[in-house]
């Protein structure tokens, strides 16, 4: 079952991550960051803009690196019935 979900998340995520004293916006399968910010809220806003424009998922990481929150802006592959 989970193997079938790979198409949903592979290369479809934007990450907000802490790197030293700054926050970065990183995209899957990219070597460079899409932005460097002093505050997490600034990186989240930029990541949200990119995710909305590209129909991707925004993954927000905490200072210790664990996933704090996910926000999806793409089409829902499993929409609710009704």
């Amino acid at each position: 079952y989970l193997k079938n979900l790979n198409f949903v998340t592979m290369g479809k995520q934007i990450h907000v991550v802490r790197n030293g004293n700054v926050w970065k916006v990183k995209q899957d399968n990219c070597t460079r960051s899409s932005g460097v910010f002093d505050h997490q809220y600034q990186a989240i806003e930029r990541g949200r803009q990119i995710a909305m424009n590209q129909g991707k998922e925004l993954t927000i990481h905490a200072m210790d690196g664990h996933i704090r929150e996910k926000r999806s802006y793409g089409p829902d592959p499993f929409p609710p019935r009704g």
Side-chain angles (χ1 to χ4, degrees):
Y1 172 75
L2 292 178
K3 289 180 182 178
N4 293 336
L5 294 180
N6 284 342
F7 76 94
V8 176
T9 58
M10 290 286 277
K12 296 258 183 196
Q13 294 188 13
I14 310 293
H15 296 269
V16 173
V17 295
R18 180 109 173 150
N19 188 338
N21 292 328
V22 296
W23 290 91
K24 291 187 175 186
V25 177
K26 303 273 293 178
Q27 296 189 49
D28 282 352
N29 303 323
C30 291
T31 55
R32 296 177 56 180
S33 65
S34 297
V36 179
F37 304 90
D38 291 328
H39 301 284
Q40 187 183 37
Y41 76 90
Q42 296 168 318
I44 291 171
E45 179 58 30
R46 179 63 182 134
R48 186 181 71 81
Q49 291 171 350
I50 294 169
M52 288 177 72
N53 286 341
Q54 297 181 8
K56 294 186 177 184
E57 183 175 66
L58 177 64
T59 302
I60 302 167
H61 296 263
M63 287 183 74
D64 64 3
H66 78 272
I67 294 175
R68 190 181 96 184
E69 182 180 350
K70 286 190 175 192
R71 302 177 187 174
S72 180
Y73 297 99
D76 189 352
F78 303 104
R81 294 181 187 174

